[in-house]
Amino acid sequence: MNGQKHSRIDVPDSSHPERVTITNVSPQLNDGRYPIKRIIGDEVKVSANIFADGHEVLAAVLLHRTDRQTLWNEVPMTTLENDRWEASFRVSSIGEHVYTVQAWIDPFRTWRRDMIKRVEAGEHASVDLLIGTNLIAWAAERALGAESKELRTHADSVRANADRDLGYAAEQALDGRVAQLMDRYPDRRLGSTYDKPLRVVVDREKARFSSWYEMFPRSCSPKPGRHGTFRDCVARLPYVAEMGFDVLYLPPIHPIGCVHRKGKNNGTVAAPDDPGSPWAIGSRDGGHKSILRELGTIEDFRALVHATRQQGMEVALDIAFQCAPDHPYVREHPEWFHIRPDGTVQYAENPPKKYEDIVPFNFDTERWRELWAELKDIVLFWIGHGVRIFRVDNPHTKPFPFWEWLIAEIKRDYPDVLFLAEAFTRPKVMYELAKRGFSQSYTYFAWRNTPWELTEYFTELTQTEVNEFFRPNLWPNTPDILTENLQLGGRPAFMARAVLAGTLGASYGIYGPAFELCENHPIYPGSEEYLDSEKYQLRNWDITRPDSLKDWIARINRARRENPCLQSDAGLKFHSIDNDNFIAYSKSTEDRSSLVVVVVNLNPYQKHNGWVTLPLETLGLSEHQPYQMHDLLSDARYIWQGSRNYVELDPAAAPAHIFRIRRHVRSEQDFDYFE
Amino acid sequence: MNGQKHSRIDVPDSSHPERVTITNVSPQLNDGRYPIKRIIGDEVKVSANIFADGHEVLAAVLLHRTDRQTLWNEVPMTTLENDRWEASFRVSSIGEHVYTVQAWIDPFRTWRRDMIKRVEAGEHASVDLLIGTNLIAWAAERALGAESKELRTHADSVRANADRDLGYAAEQALDGRVAQLMDRYPDRRLGSTYDKPLRVVVDREKARFSSWYEMFPRSCSPKPGRHGTFRDCVARLPYVAEMGFDVLYLPPIHPIGCVHRKGKNNGTVAAPDDPGSPWAIGSRDGGHKSILRELGTIEDFRALVHATRQQGMEVALDIAFQCAPDHPYVREHPEWFHIRPDGTVQYAENPPKKYEDIVPFNFDTERWRELWAELKDIVLFWIGHGVRIFRVDNPHTKPFPFWEWLIAEIKRDYPDVLFLAEAFTRPKVMYELAKRGFSQSYTYFAWRNTPWELTEYFTELTQTEVNEFFRPNLWPNTPDILTENLQLGGRPAFMARAVLAGTLGASYGIYGPAFELCENHPIYPGSEEYLDSEKYQLRNWDITRPDSLKDWIARINRARRENPCLQSDAGLKFHSIDNDNFIAYSKSTEDRSSLVVVVVNLNPYQKHNGWVTLPLETLGLSEHQPYQMHDLLSDARYIWQGSRNYVELDPAAAPAHIFRIRRHVRSEQDFDYFE
């Protein structure tokens, strides 16, 4: 790459105190404790405060390498104002990369700057010329091969000419070619290296841009009352793929405990044919590495993984590190659980609530090393069967160091594996888990409803340091979350929330078919739990219903695929609109080649209209030229002009526009086109 | 102190991964690399993000000690919202203190919280009671003396009662006294300590609040043409003290070099009787530990130091680590200087400008250890002669590690010593020097003239992290800086700048008698150098001139002494005024018992009036009660009411008000008073 070279870091003579200070290196998280995140091909733009005492000229390089390389790549840094320096590098492989900054007081650059001034002032500076010549001669000793020879020849020639024609000799010493060569072999003895290597975890593109569909295999049977199988799932794949999803997320597929099994609607007593909760993992049939007999065999699972790939999608498995009381681990490894003074195993509880069908692991056990190794082995087992994405249940009830270790261990050998962290109501803990290694995280999107809440929250997620480590995955619903907004707002609310999720977030997901079928009955008023939840019983969904949102969702996903600006969380800007029922925002790529404006009527009950104001210059639009707003949802096209334009949205028909802006292009024949 | 106890940090069992995360501990600078600064008696308010996985109850303590103690003092931290914790401690001795944070998952608090819920739910929880009883019994083993016995007795009693009367036994276990005892002997095995000790350098009060007067001893002679002496300085002390200053700062007092000595007005050739620049230190008469013969003897100097103290002031000496070419060091230690290829010693230059009367030290010398030791010895020498304040010349041309080492070395044995760093045009370097140890720093105040510039700059200095390490010392003039504002604005400008310096900054200084005599002739138009500068010649000042500002300055300094709000840089707030020629601001102590409002007409040429708006509630004033504005400069009193009030200032008379607000007090007899 241009301007790069390879080197080991020159350690400055440690007997000298460091004159150069390098601070506030950015980006970095918690003083380098945690890595930032990037996607393969991304640029990492690094800046730092670099300064020294005195008035000498400094030089600085950005050093970067993968964690498997020993040699650094160097990129020269350039100065911005007020002692701030900057350079960037591109991450061209997945896995961990390391970067840091090195700077030094450059004797030759200092000499050259001063010598130019002396020459300009017409000074007779023979001693100064000698000093410079010595610097060139010393560099010749550091240099290699032909360049060493070239420097030596140059120094000799300057020396030879100095007595006869000082002016000519000075010109020789100040020659641009010499400066270039000297920059290749700088004297870094008066240098410093930033005191910690900073890390960046580079993922494949799906870590940034993904569209998830959560589906209970148990309910995929075409026959009501029959337990769904992996083969039924295979048959359902085209339906999911046609909607445009690329991740198929399955709740746990393992044997379900019989002891204290929950009945329908979370009843404490299960009827004989109640299937229980898939998260109550383990029975005499096996545990986290086994498959629930009703779903099929491991071969059926592999066939599903394969068929999913063939449809352009991937299977994501649920990781729930907890057990049913009859999980084999409880019998084989009682030391991994909390044993109470009466000899019983402690079940999960949040006093006075009890979850008798679940026993948590005791991560404080003295045998934590064996426990950790086994949990890692579970992940490796499913990787061995083709899974590369894991959705992690309740990550916040396991120690942070465990996740940091597990994810690093897995990604060291399988850097393409992605982990999605479930959410809970502790924002700092959510961020901590992301810093410790989760590739994506659920968010509080489901509970952000007003324009103010959405603007506030997504500004924090996308326009602050959070953007360096936290990749939001937006879910309007999950099997645990049927929001009041969806319960009350019905179909228009589902439509609006799907547009918000799919355009505010580069990654989003829905729990279907509940979502596209607008399932919105809570178990009781005020609860976010579904009535007749699939968590505790089989459901039969009529995916052919005419009121299904599957076409609406397919249009959203198509807009996402065809517009790169929707594939990244950066480039989000909120715009003002003079009616509080609306939210308006745009997303654009850095080069503005992809640009989308979204307007949503957040009121599911009433038609509204208003005037949206767009910052034309920021969006690369002209005040005087009309531009075309192509609604990717309805396919309608509107001609807008200037910054203020009218919108009207009737939620009963469609509560949102996803406008692709087509700029006005005048052709040679003076016909009007929109690109 | 209440709630405190002493302990060593319990090291959590390192074989367990740390479940508790402690991050974003504040205050701290560069991730703990540099200490924050405080004054003796100050409170240090510490907060941190503290959280763990799961739902257990955490406990946290702030740990603090002096750097000479080995035991920590503990202060319990309390939770704010969203996993933020807080506590504070008071620094009661000068020198370095250390603080950090420790937190742990508290099994007893967790058990107690859950047990209370169980009891409330009417649960039969005998096994849970047994778990709690065991925790109490274990704590008895950690506890000492009577408290150990009390805990054991309690545990036994709970156990004995558990079989007969579970409810009563539970009540016993949940007893407040038990909780209190358990908090004194917590089980910290599941704990973490913040990974670095954070430092705070505590200074005596003068580091925060000081009024400096710079004076050239050479010009203190009452007889024109005779070189001033230390005895003349002693005679001048009452004059300085009456103005209210408490630091008398003397430019270098050492022998001045003869080689390349500068003449009047920085002339390159000195006349035989030209005294040269005091910053060209060293001649055959001695160097940095000697006294210029014309000033007197070392005994005369000690007498001046003594007499200054008797007047309630302190002498501050100039430290200029550079030499005249004939300084003894140059001969005795050529290895401390840059030797050019022709064998000459490199003088200071900024090509093509040359400063032939000064040779800089070469801090890159291989013999830097000896050089550092000798420079430290210079400081110790003057400490030995009673000096405790040093003003450091050109600190930015010596390595940062040198200052960090020197100041730490000196303050280790003399924690009352203060160092003031001279300024230069590199903001980040200024801040870095303050972080490395300088007690006070010159600022860019001299060049901040408009309301916007002043507001912007002093908001940065006082309302941001800068306030943790950088103590501004404001100089409207120095021997090197005669600003355009003073040159053009004349006496009204001097008056206004004195008020700004003395009220915007808790520390400020003037270079006199040039300042109070409004000396404002530059060497040439556009230069900030004085004509006939004392740097190169003797001056005779008529300090009795009737137009002297000495009374004005005395009133400013009296206002500073009598109003604690002016003795700290915190508590500064700018207020709006509807005329851009004015600036208005208030300073108040945290308890608002001291409150001053300053209004300055920044236009030295024209009378102006305007309406100033004060935030009454913030200032503790009522909308409905009048309050008295007592101008401490003119002694006039005005009754104001409400938030908007009228001001009018004629620079020809007085360009500023320093209002002390006297709140309305109604006495028993219903007379009106203002407190």
Side-chain angles (χ1 to χ4, degrees):
Chain A
M1 203 182 286
N2 202 7
Q4 292 210 356
K5 57 176 229 184
H6 296 266
S7 73
R8 291 176 194 279
I9 288 188
D10 286 341
V11 180
D13 176 1
S14 63
S15 71
H16 269 92
E18 293 195 349
R19 288 180 54 197
V20 179
T21 290
I22 305 172
T23 67
N24 295 69
V25 179
S26 166
Q28 74 175 302
L29 300 172
N30 295 68
D31 206 52
R33 167 70 180 80
Y34 302 115
I36 61 164
K37 297 193 175 89
R38 288 293 186 274
I39 298 296
I40 185 165
D42 277 354
E43 211 182 23
V44 182
K45 195 180 279 184
V46 178
S47 55
N49 295 349
I50 302 176
F51 47 80
D53 63 282
H55 307 288
E56 289 148 280
V57 179
L58 302 189
V61 287
L62 166 61
L63 301 170
H64 67 100
R65 57 175 175 80
T66 72
D67 64 344
R68 281 153 208 232
Q69 293 175 319
T70 50
L71 291 181
W72 292 96
N73 305 293
E74 288 190 14
V75 188
M77 297 184 82
T78 54
T79 45
L80 312 170
E81 63 175 9
N82 189 11
D83 294 321
R84 191 87 187 150
W85 294 63
E86 186 182 77
S88 63
F89 68 101
R90 204 169 284 281
V91 283
S92 52
S93 61
I94 62 172
E96 199 164 294
H97 294 241
V98 187
Y99 60 98
T100 193
V101 169
Q102 186 176 77
W104 60 92
I105 293 170
D106 194 296
F108 188 77
R109 286 193 188 186
T110 304
W111 173 86
R112 191 168 187 272
R113 176 198 63 186
D114 292 347
M115 191 67 189
I116 289 172
K117 288 185 194 156
R118 289 190 172 96
V119 170
E120 279 168 1
E123 240 179 73
H124 179 90
S126 59
V127 177
D128 292 296
L129 181 60
L130 186 55
I131 291 172
T133 316
N134 289 343
L135 292 175
I136 298 170
W138 293 338
E141 293 179 24
R142 286 191 299 276
L144 305 169
E147 292 178 333
S148 172
K149 203 172 158 199
E150 189 177 348
L151 282 165
R152 198 177 323 277
T153 308
H154 223 98
D156 291 345
S157 169
V158 173
R159 275 191 191 123
N161 287 322
D163 291 336
R164 285 178 297 155
D165 185 345
L166 190 65
Y168 178 72
E171 228 171 83
Q172 270 192 303
L174 294 172
D175 185 76
R177 168 67 185 160
V178 178
Q180 206 177 34
L181 277 173
M182 290 298 287
D183 271 352
R184 287 183 52 73
Y185 300 99
D187 173 2
R188 303 189 192 184
R189 280 175 303 170
L190 299 177
S192 304
T193 303
Y194 186 62
D195 58 356
K196 49 193 80 69
L198 302 172
R199 294 176 299 142
V200 47
V201 167
V202 180
D203 285 310
R204 60 193 172 111
E205 208 197 345
K206 192 152 275 171
R208 174 167 61 202
F209 172 52
S210 56
S211 312
W212 293 51
Y213 188 79
E214 177 174 7
M215 183 179 84
F216 281 73
R218 58 167 57 171
S219 299
C220 283
S221 163
K223 279 195 197 157
R226 174 166 77 64
H227 196 289
T229 64
F230 288 142
R231 290 182 191 202
D232 296 328
C233 292
V234 170
R236 181 67 61 87
L237 288 176
Y239 167 78
V240 180
E242 273 162 28
M243 275 189 284
F245 291 100
D246 53 23
V247 178
L248 176 70
Y249 153 42
L250 309 178
I253 56 175
H254 317 299
I256 293 170
C258 300
V259 177
H260 298 304
R261 175 179 285 195
K262 298 285 185 182
K264 289 188 183 65
N265 286 307
N266 202 18
T268 47
V269 181
D273 60 343
D274 278 341
S277 162
W279 284 274
I281 297 172
S283 73
R284 77 186 64 163
D285 288 345
H288 286 76
K289 296 175 194 163
S290 302
I291 282 178
L292 181 71
R293 194 185 302 130
E294 286 83 348
L295 292 173
T297 64
I298 191 79
E299 288 70 34
D300 293 338
F301 177 74
R302 294 178 70 109
L304 171 59
V305 168
H306 180 71
T308 307
R309 290 224 182 244
Q310 288 201 307
Q311 295 275 352
M313 304 190 289
E314 281 186 65
V315 164
L317 268 203
D318 196 294
I319 290 186
F321 283 146
Q322 58 190 25
C323 298
D326 42 338
H327 192 297
Y329 287 155
V330 180
R331 195 178 63 248
E332 293 162 11
H333 294 284
E335 73 278 9
W336 290 350
F337 300 88
H338 296 272
I339 308 297
R340 287 156 58 92
D342 63 352
T344 60
V345 177
Q346 177 74 60
Y347 45 77
E349 57 174 347
N350 182 12
K353 282 194 226 163
K354 300 176 196 304
Y355 306 94
E356 296 98 333
D357 62 335
I358 306 280
V359 295
F361 288 112
N362 173 16
F363 281 86
D364 297 330
T365 172
E366 291 303 314
R367 312 298 286 271
W368 60 270
R369 286 190 179 81
E370 291 97 318
L371 173 61
W372 286 24
E374 175 62 18
L375 298 180
K376 175 184 161 188
D377 207 52
I378 293 170
V379 179
L380 288 176
F381 178 87
W382 294 107
I383 288 173
H385 289 95
V387 178
R388 286 293 181 280
I389 307 183
F390 297 92
R391 178 271 188 191
V392 177
D393 192 67
N394 275 333
H396 66 302
T397 57
K398 288 89 192 170
F400 305 124
F402 166 69
W403 292 120
E404 192 169 18
W405 170 84
L406 177 76
I407 296 172
E409 282 282 300
I410 297 295
K411 294 190 74 130
R412 193 190 52 207
D413 295 329
Y414 302 94
D416 58 335
V417 171
L418 305 179
F419 293 88
L420 165 64
E422 193 192 6
F424 40 86
T425 57
R426 300 274 297 277
K428 289 197 171 71
V429 175
M430 275 311 291
Y431 286 157
E432 184 72 15
L433 286 168
K435 287 178 176 177
R436 300 277 185 152
F438 281 91
S439 326
Q440 294 188 351
S441 308
Y442 282 59
T443 69
Y444 306 126
F445 163 72
W447 302 280
R448 300 292 182 273
N449 291 302
T450 66
W452 186 87
E453 287 169 345
L454 289 163
T455 302
E456 184 85 349
Y457 187 49
F458 283 91
T459 299
E460 173 180 324
L461 292 183
T462 64
Q463 309 301 315
T464 71
E465 184 195 71
V466 172
N467 189 41
E468 298 287 357
F469 63 88
F470 186 89
R471 297 199 191 102
N473 192 327
L474 315 188
W475 291 73
N477 76 330
T478 78
D480 298 317
I481 304 166
L482 172 63
T483 63
E484 191 180 31
N485 182 289
L486 296 179
Q487 290 176 33
L488 303 180
R491 195 169 185 273
F494 280 80
M495 293 173 81
R497 298 297 295 181
V499 170
L500 291 170
T503 55
L504 283 170
S507 286
Y508 88 114
I510 59 171
Y511 153 52
F515 189 87
E516 64 265 29
L517 297 180
C518 303
E519 175 83 1
N520 70 339
H521 299 295
I523 185 166
Y524 56 83
S527 169
E528 291 196 335
E529 288 287 335
Y530 286 87
L531 178 67
D532 299 331
S533 168
E534 277 181 294
K535 290 196 290 188
Y536 310 108
Q537 68 189 76
L538 311 185
R539 290 290 298 268
N540 187 266
W541 302 101
D542 178 6
I543 57 174
T544 64
R545 255 168 48 193
D547 63 342
S548 167
L549 293 178
K550 68 181 196 307
D551 292 339
W552 179 258
I553 291 163
R555 284 196 290 274
I556 295 170
N557 282 331
R558 183 172 165 194
R560 288 163 53 81
R561 276 198 311 280
E562 294 180 354
N563 293 276
C565 62
L566 295 177
Q567 298 169 14
S568 158
D569 290 318
L572 172 67
K573 286 191 192 65
F574 291 92
H575 304 302
S576 77
I577 185 161
D578 63 355
N579 179 332
D580 278 351
N581 289 281
F582 285 107
I583 188 165
Y585 50 90
S586 66
K587 288 188 94 167
S588 63
T589 49
E590 214 170 333
D591 63 1
R592 297 191 301 206
S593 63
S594 171
L595 176 57
V596 156
V597 171
V598 179
V599 184
V600 183
N601 177 359
L602 298 170
N603 183 328
Y605 313 109
Q606 285 178 319
K607 178 157 127 179
H608 276 280
N609 58 54
W611 291 80
V612 61
T613 304
L614 296 181
L616 295 185
E617 205 178 341
T618 313
L619 302 178
L621 297 168
S622 153
E623 179 70 38
H624 309 293
Q625 290 284 345
Y627 48 98
Q628 194 194 72
M629 298 298 267
H630 177 195
D631 184 358
L632 304 177
L633 292 168
S634 68
D635 209 32
R637 290 162 196 256
Y638 305 84
I639 302 297
W640 284 17
Q641 179 151 6
S643 58
R644 265 171 68 86
N645 287 279
Y646 179 83
V647 288
E648 179 180 295
L649 284 166
D650 182 356
H657 290 302
I658 300 178
F659 287 126
R660 173 161 175 179
I661 298 190
R662 294 175 191 273
R663 291 184 192 83
H664 187 268
V665 180
R666 200 169 284 269
S667 76
E668 304 100 281
Q669 290 81 26
D670 221 7
F671 282 106
D672 278 0
Y673 286 101
F674 292 94
E675 61 172 345
Chain B
M1 200 182 287
N2 202 8
Q4 292 211 356
K5 57 177 223 177
H6 297 265
S7 73
R8 290 176 193 281
I9 289 188
D10 287 343
V11 179
D13 177 0
S14 63
S15 70
H16 271 92
E18 294 196 347
R19 288 179 54 197
V20 179
T21 290
I22 305 173
T23 67
N24 296 71
V25 179
S26 167
Q28 74 175 302
L29 300 172
N30 295 69
D31 207 52
R33 167 69 180 82
Y34 302 114
I36 61 164
K37 296 193 177 90
R38 287 293 184 277
I39 299 297
I40 184 165
D42 278 355
E43 209 182 24
V44 182
K45 196 179 277 183
V46 178
S47 55
N49 295 349
I50 303 176
F51 48 79
D53 62 282
H55 306 290
E56 288 148 282
V57 179
L58 302 189
V61 286
L62 166 62
L63 301 170
H64 68 99
R65 58 175 176 79
T66 71
D67 64 345
R68 282 155 208 228
Q69 294 175 318
T70 49
L71 291 181
W72 292 94
N73 304 293
E74 288 190 15
V75 188
M77 298 185 82
T78 54
T79 44
L80 312 170
E81 62 174 10
N82 190 8
D83 293 321
R84 190 85 186 151
W85 295 63
E86 187 182 75
S88 63
F89 69 101
R90 203 168 285 283
V91 283
S92 52
S93 62
I94 61 172
E96 199 163 294
H97 295 240
V98 187
Y99 59 98
T100 193
V101 168
Q102 187 177 76
W104 60 91
I105 293 169
D106 193 296
F108 188 76
R109 286 192 188 188
T110 304
W111 173 84
R112 192 169 187 270
R113 176 198 63 187
D114 292 348
M115 190 68 190
I116 289 171
K117 288 185 195 157
R118 288 188 172 97
V119 170
E120 278 167 1
E123 240 179 71
H124 180 89
S126 58
V127 176
D128 292 295
L129 180 60
L130 185 57
I131 292 172
T133 316
N134 289 343
L135 293 175
I136 299 171
W138 292 338
E141 293 179 26
R142 287 191 299 276
L144 304 170
E147 291 177 334
S148 171
K149 204 172 156 198
E150 192 179 344
L151 282 165
R152 198 177 324 276
T153 308
H154 222 98
D156 291 345
S157 169
V158 173
R159 276 189 190 124
N161 288 322
D163 291 336
R164 285 178 297 153
D165 185 344
L166 189 65
Y168 177 71
E171 229 170 82
Q172 270 191 303
L174 294 172
D175 186 76
R177 169 67 184 162
V178 179
Q180 205 177 35
L181 277 173
M182 291 298 287
D183 269 353
R184 287 183 51 74
Y185 300 100
D187 174 1
R188 303 189 192 184
R189 280 175 303 172
L190 299 177
S192 305
T193 303
Y194 186 62
D195 59 357
K196 53 192 78 68
L198 302 172
R199 294 176 299 141
V200 46
V201 168
V202 180
D203 284 310
R204 58 190 172 114
E205 208 197 345
K206 193 151 275 170
R208 174 167 61 202
F209 172 51
S210 56
S211 311
W212 292 52
Y213 187 79
E214 177 173 7
M215 183 178 83
F216 281 74
R218 58 167 54 170
S219 299
C220 283
S221 164
K223 280 195 197 158
R226 174 166 76 65
H227 197 288
T229 65
F230 288 142
R231 291 183 189 201
D232 297 328
C233 292
V234 170
R236 182 65 61 88
L237 288 177
Y239 167 80
V240 180
E242 273 161 28
M243 275 190 283
F245 290 101
D246 54 21
V247 178
L248 176 70
Y249 153 41
L250 309 178
I253 56 174
H254 316 299
I256 295 169
C258 301
V259 176
H260 298 304
R261 175 179 286 194
K262 297 285 185 182
K264 289 188 184 63
N265 286 309
N266 202 19
T268 47
V269 180
D273 60 344
D274 278 341
S277 163
W279 283 273
I281 296 171
S283 73
R284 75 184 67 162
D285 289 343
H288 286 76
K289 295 175 194 165
S290 301
I291 283 178
L292 180 71
R293 194 185 303 135
E294 286 83 349
L295 291 173
T297 64
I298 191 79
E299 287 70 35
D300 293 338
F301 177 73
R302 294 178 71 108
L304 171 60
V305 168
H306 180 71
T308 307
R309 290 226 181 241
Q310 288 201 308
Q311 296 274 352
M313 303 190 290
E314 281 185 65
V315 165
L317 269 202
D318 196 294
I319 291 187
F321 283 146
Q322 58 189 25
C323 298
D326 40 339
H327 193 297
Y329 287 156
V330 179
R331 195 179 62 247
E332 294 161 12
H333 294 283
E335 73 277 11
W336 290 349
F337 300 88
H338 296 271
I339 308 297
R340 286 155 57 90
D342 63 351
T344 59
V345 178
Q346 177 74 58
Y347 46 78
E349 56 175 348
N350 181 11
K353 281 195 228 164
K354 300 177 197 301
Y355 307 93
E356 296 98 334
D357 61 336
I358 306 279
V359 296
F361 288 112
N362 173 16
F363 281 87
D364 297 330
T365 171
E366 292 301 317
R367 312 298 286 271
W368 59 271
R369 286 189 180 84
E370 290 99 317
L371 172 62
W372 286 25
E374 175 61 18
L375 299 180
K376 175 185 160 190
D377 208 50
I378 293 171
V379 179
L380 288 175
F381 178 87
W382 294 107
I383 289 174
H385 288 96
V387 178
R388 287 293 180 281
I389 307 183
F390 297 92
R391 178 270 189 192
V392 177
D393 192 69
N394 275 334
H396 66 301
T397 58
K398 289 89 194 171
F400 305 124
F402 167 70
W403 293 120
E404 191 170 20
W405 170 85
L406 177 75
I407 296 172
E409 282 281 301
I410 297 294
K411 295 191 74 133
R412 193 187 54 207
D413 295 329
Y414 303 94
D416 58 335
V417 170
L418 305 178
F419 293 88
L420 165 65
E422 194 193 6
F424 41 86
T425 56
R426 299 274 296 279
K428 288 197 173 70
V429 175
M430 275 311 291
Y431 286 157
E432 184 73 13
L433 287 168
K435 287 178 175 176
R436 301 276 186 154
F438 281 91
S439 325
Q440 294 188 350
S441 307
Y442 282 59
T443 69
Y444 306 126
F445 163 73
W447 301 280
R448 299 294 180 272
N449 292 302
T450 66
W452 187 87
E453 288 169 346
L454 288 163
T455 303
E456 183 87 348
Y457 187 49
F458 282 90
T459 300
E460 173 180 324
L461 291 183
T462 65
Q463 309 301 315
T464 70
E465 184 195 71
V466 171
N467 187 42
E468 298 286 357
F469 63 88
F470 187 88
R471 296 201 192 100
N473 191 328
L474 316 187
W475 291 74
N477 77 330
T478 77
D480 296 318
I481 304 165
L482 172 63
T483 63
E484 191 180 31
N485 182 289
L486 296 179
Q487 291 176 34
L488 303 179
R491 196 169 184 273
F494 280 80
M495 294 173 80
R497 298 299 293 180
V499 169
L500 291 170
T503 56
L504 283 171
S507 287
Y508 89 114
I510 59 170
Y511 153 52
F515 190 86
E516 63 266 29
L517 297 179
C518 303
E519 176 83 2
N520 69 339
H521 300 294
I523 186 165
Y524 56 83
S527 169
E528 291 196 336
E529 288 286 336
Y530 286 86
L531 178 67
D532 299 331
S533 170
E534 277 180 294
K535 291 196 289 188
Y536 310 108
Q537 69 189 78
L538 312 185
R539 290 289 298 269
N540 186 266
W541 302 100
D542 178 6
I543 58 174
T544 64
R545 254 169 48 193
D547 63 341
S548 166
L549 293 178
K550 68 180 193 307
D551 292 339
W552 179 258
I553 290 163
R555 284 196 290 273
I556 296 170
N557 282 331
R558 184 173 162 190
R560 289 163 52 81
R561 276 197 312 280
E562 295 180 354
N563 293 276
C565 62
L566 296 176
Q567 298 168 15
S568 157
D569 290 318
L572 172 66
K573 285 190 193 67
F574 290 92
H575 303 302
S576 78
I577 185 160
D578 63 354
N579 179 332
D580 278 351
N581 290 280
F582 286 106
I583 188 165
Y585 50 90
S586 65
K587 288 187 93 167
S588 63
T589 50
E590 214 171 332
D591 63 3
R592 297 192 302 206
S593 62
S594 171
L595 176 57
V596 156
V597 171
V598 179
V599 183
V600 183
N601 177 357
L602 297 170
N603 183 328
Y605 312 110
Q606 284 179 319
K607 180 157 124 178
H608 276 281
N609 58 53
W611 291 80
V612 61
T613 304
L614 296 180
L616 295 185
E617 205 178 341
T618 314
L619 302 178
L621 297 170
S622 152
E623 179 70 39
H624 309 293
Q625 290 285 344
Y627 48 97
Q628 195 193 74
M629 298 298 268
H630 177 194
D631 185 355
L632 304 177
L633 292 168
S634 67
D635 209 31
R637 288 161 198 258
Y638 307 84
I639 304 296
W640 283 17
Q641 180 153 5
S643 60
R644 265 172 67 87
N645 287 278
Y646 179 81
V647 288
E648 181 180 294
L649 284 166
D650 182 356
H657 291 302
I658 301 179
F659 288 126
R660 174 162 173 179
I661 298 190
R662 294 174 192 273
R663 292 183 191 85
H664 188 267
V665 179
R666 200 170 284 266
S667 74
E668 302 104 280
Q669 290 80 27
D670 221 5
F671 282 107
D672 279 0
Y673 286 100
F674 291 94
E675 61 172 344

